[in-house]
């Protein structure tokens, strides 16, 4: 029996999980979020160390007992960063058998029943990736255009819908009254002035998808169209990635992950589905049930040379005590 470790580092948190290669989860640790390319490598590795130490302590293990490590790291957007991060993790843990991937790959692995597939990670931003049967990967990273960067882009689309409606380029929308109230503006001119003078912060934009969901729920056609348009574009990204990886000829799961896909209105998902039906009819959309850290654990088991199927069968047993499921 070998002990393995998974790491998930994102901008808002760093998680570590320890288990054996038979699918028994033994420890879970957490720390602050970081990204080596933004906050610095030293700061990022400090968060990893804190999460790893907590997981080991909970598991009752020493770092020297860990055979394999798989890490999903935000900011791993360029080829040279894989080797850079692997070297840093090896120096930190002294583990030799290490796999490092972009964090959206472990999100895909956490939601897929197979080691291959595609993923859409829509949170504050957006990323899309595909991994084929040969283990080759393509991650969009900075290739995602700003207009569709997840929650922040949806927030900007809300304000654009209000200003377009005001000048007659869009039909009337409930978003107008809702946004004027939210930003304490007496009219659309006031809202536009706040936008132009950059008085609307990133946090403000990120709060607007909730408003957009509420408006769509009340039947606002403009809001529904925004969700659907974003879904269609998200679907195009997936199709292009699957084409690049020669995956259109066989069944593959497309995992929907991230806070934006928690939207209860159907238009976003419908847009993705409609695009996939058009060019990737064998693809199957699945909603991510488990947190991405589970994907890192599964990849660590596979990296150690074992099949990960037994891990899936055991996850439900540990999901509550280790908070492994997405909420």
């Amino acid at each position: 029996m070998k002990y393995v470790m998974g790491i998930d580092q994102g901008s808002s948190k760093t998680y570590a999980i320890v288990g054996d290669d038979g699918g028994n989860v033994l420890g879970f640790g957490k720390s602050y979020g970081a990204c080596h390319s933004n906050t610095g490598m030293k700061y990022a590795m400090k968060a990893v160390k804190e999460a790893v130490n907590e997981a080991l302590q909970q598991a009752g293990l020493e770092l020297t007992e860990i055979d394999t490590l798989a890490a999903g790291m935000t900011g791993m957007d360029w080829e040279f960063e894989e080797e850079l991060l692997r070297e840093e993790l090896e120096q930190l843990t002294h583990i030799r058998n290490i796999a490092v991937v972009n964090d959206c790959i472990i999100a895909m692995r956490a939601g897929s029943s197979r080691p291959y597939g595609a993923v859409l990670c829509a949170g504050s931003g957006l990323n899309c990736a595909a991994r084929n049967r040969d283990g080759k990967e393509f991650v969009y990273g900075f290739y995602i255009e700003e207009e569709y960067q997840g929650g922040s882009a949806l927030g900007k689309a809300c304000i654009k819908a209000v200003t377009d409606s005001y000048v007659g380029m869009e039909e009337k929308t409930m978003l107008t009254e809702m946004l004027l109230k939210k930003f304490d503006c007496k009219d659309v001119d006031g809202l536009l002035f706040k936008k132009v003078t950059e008085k609307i912060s990133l946090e403000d934009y990120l709060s607007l998808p909730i408003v957009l969901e509420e408006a769509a729920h009340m039947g606002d056609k403009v809001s529904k169209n925004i969700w659907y348009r974003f879904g269609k574009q998200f679907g195009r990204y997936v199709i292009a990635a699957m084409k690049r990886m020669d995956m259109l000829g066989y069944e593959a799961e497309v995992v929907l992950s991230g806070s934006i896909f928690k939207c209860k209105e159907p238009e976003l998902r419908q847009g993705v589905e409609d695009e996939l039906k058009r060019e990737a009819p064998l693809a199957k959309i699945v909603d991510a049930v488990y947190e991405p850290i589970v994907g890192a654990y599964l990849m660590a088991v596979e990296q150690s040379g074992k099949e990960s199927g037994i891990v899936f069968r055991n996850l439900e047993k540990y999901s509550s005590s280790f908070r492994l499921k997405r909420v």
Side-chain angles (χ1 to χ4, degrees), residues 178-240:
M178 297 170 80
L179 265 60
L180 292 181
K181 181 179 179 181
K182 178 176 178 61
F183 291 107
D184 193 25
C185 298
K186 65 178 182 179
D187 54 31
V188 176
D189 273 348
L191 179 65
L192 182 60
F193 183 77
K194 281 193 172 184
K195 175 191 173 186
V196 170
T197 57
E198 299 183 349
K199 295 296 193 301
I200 299 176
S201 67
L202 175 60
E203 288 72 22
D204 289 329
Y205 285 120
L206 291 174
S207 71
L208 293 183
I210 296 174
V211 178
L212 184 66
E213 180 179 3
E214 183 181 350
H217 183 68
M218 292 188 293
D220 183 60
K221 184 178 178 181
V222 171
S223 299
K224 288 178 178 290
N225 286 342
I226 292 172
W227 283 116
Y228 185 71
R229 173 166 59 86
F230 270 69
K232 293 269 285 183
Q233 183 61 34
F234 290 179
R236 293 186 189 106
Y237 284 128
V238 173
I239 290 168

Side-chain angles (χ1 to χ4, degrees), residues 54-118:
E54 184 178 343
L56 288 169
Q57 184 177 17
Q58 194 172 100
L61 294 171
E62 298 292 330
L63 195 51
T64 53
E65 297 179 81
I66 306 301
D67 175 80
T68 306
L69 167 65
M73 310 290 283
T74 189
M76 206 204 85
D77 298 309
W78 309 106
E79 188 174 345
F80 74 89
E81 290 177 299
E82 179 182 356
E83 183 177 354
L84 177 67
L85 286 163
R86 186 187 293 109
E87 288 176 353
E88 289 289 336
L89 288 169
E90 185 175 334
Q91 185 176 357
L92 179 71
T93 65
H94 301 291
I95 298 170
R96 294 299 178 89
N97 193 7
I98 295 178
V100 185
V101 295
N102 183 279
D103 57 339
C104 73
I105 293 293
I106 62 171
M108 181 275 290
R109 192 65 193 87
S112 175
S113 62
R114 306 179 180 102
Y116 59 89

Side-chain angles (χ1 to χ4, degrees), residues 228 231-232 265-275 277:
Y228 185 71
K232 293 269 285 183
E265 291 304 300
E267 286 79 16
L268 179 66
R269 185 189 180 107
Q270 189 63 55
V272 177
E273 286 182 350
D274 287 350
E275 284 300 304
K277 286 176 184 176

Side-chain angles (χ1 to χ4, degrees), residues 139-153:
V139 181
Y140 270 90
F142 289 108
Y143 285 102
I144 300 282
E145 55 192 298
E146 188 176 350
E147 184 182 357
Y148 291 101
Q149 278 289 348
S152 59

